[in-house]
Amino acid sequence: MGFTGDTDRRQRLLAIGAHEFVCRIAKDAEGTTGLELVSQWLCSMLTLDDEWDTGRLSRDPSRVLTIAATLLAVINSANSHPHESDIYVASVRDVFRRAREWAPALSVKRWADSQLESFMGAAAIVAYRAQGRTMTLAEYLTVGPLDRGSRSCIEIIEVCERTAIPQSQLDSPRVHALTEAAKFLVLVSADLYSYKREDSHNALESNVVDALQRHLGCGREQALLEAAALHDRTMCLFLRLADRTARRGGPELRRYVQQLSNLVSGNLEWGFTSARYTDRTPGIVPVAERADRPADGRLTPPPYPEIAWWWDQLW
């Protein structure tokens, strides 16, 4: 990726374990080509995410949008901006060129399209921060999944495994709810894992703990417990919906359900080991621990209309 002149950055990237994340979520990858190119992309995006969250671009939404527009142009056409020397541009140009040679056109197109959501979410968060605004919980539930790139995580599995489920199957209400629940689980677990890091950089604008603390008018520890309970409640929904969807679907849909399940479980396991999340100061935020039972196992919707409709698909 061109980081040989920056030993510290290279070591930080290796410690993140992007390759481990990709291997965990794309368990049925065909060979190593997709795993390698997606790992390269993930290293670039996590580094850029740090610049947008806590670095030189963390309070400059106009600059974020400019960079995002250039990246999108290159993602959609490798011939765009031929003289651009930025390291992120060079990386995504190479990744998407190789992806188009490797994976089905539809899965690459979906992956490319998902980047618009990610960049839009990142720019929105930077704008909130620049204005000194905090998010309401309703705003968080709308913007948070975009900022965390949850949809992109789904698309990279299809690229690695060289699959592309027909859009008609994705559009069914039950599959749509299942997909959104998986994205939300990735979002909340990432928020819980990264809470300490974002808190230390005063960058909690897109963290579920901060949003719940203000929405409920409670303290930090109670908000952490509420976030974990919401995660587990959604997990119980996801597991039930996944089972029903797989039992009633054909081979393509069953494969997609398995991909979502691998994303959810792989992301959780990666968070327990990645240096991006495990480097915490003792006593600040409790280290995530595996539990024997859900903190909240109810199969009734939570009082948040932005996500409550997912539970309607159980019946």
Side-chain angles (χ1 to χ4, degrees), residues 174-250:
R174 175 167 288 170
V175 176
H176 187 196
L178 181 68
T179 302
E180 293 302 308
K183 290 161 57 177
F184 185 70
L185 288 168
V186 171
L187 165 69
V188 175
S189 60
D191 279 5
L192 291 171
Y193 285 137
S194 62
Y195 181 81
K196 182 264 175 181
R197 178 174 61 89
E198 294 179 353
D199 186 33
S200 65
H201 288 92
N202 194 29
L204 289 172
E205 293 82 2
S206 63
N207 194 288
V208 65
V209 178
D210 187 63
L212 282 169
Q213 185 174 346
R214 285 182 284 98
H215 181 75
L216 299 173
C218 63
R220 173 187 295 184
E221 295 301 321
Q222 183 60 37
L224 280 163
L225 294 174
E226 292 290 341
L230 182 58
H231 173 276
D232 289 2
R233 192 170 182 171
T234 307
M235 179 68 80
C236 292
L237 165 76
F238 175 81
L239 294 173
R240 185 69 64 88
L241 276 180
D243 178 66
R244 292 187 178 182
T245 303
R247 282 193 286 108
R248 300 177 184 181

Side-chain angles (χ1 to χ4, degrees), residues 49 51-66 118-135 139 143 147 202-206:
D49 182 65
E51 291 196 28
W52 288 351
D53 279 350
T54 60
R56 60 189 176 92
L57 302 174
S58 60
R59 285 172 169 78
D60 190 349
S62 62
R63 181 61 179 148
V64 169
L65 285 169
T66 300
S118 301
F119 294 153
M120 178 181 175
I125 298 302
V126 173
Y128 273 94
R129 190 180 302 124
Q131 295 175 9
R133 290 181 57 200
T134 56
M135 279 189 175
E139 290 171 331
V143 179
D147 176 50
N202 194 29
L204 289 172
E205 293 82 2
S206 63

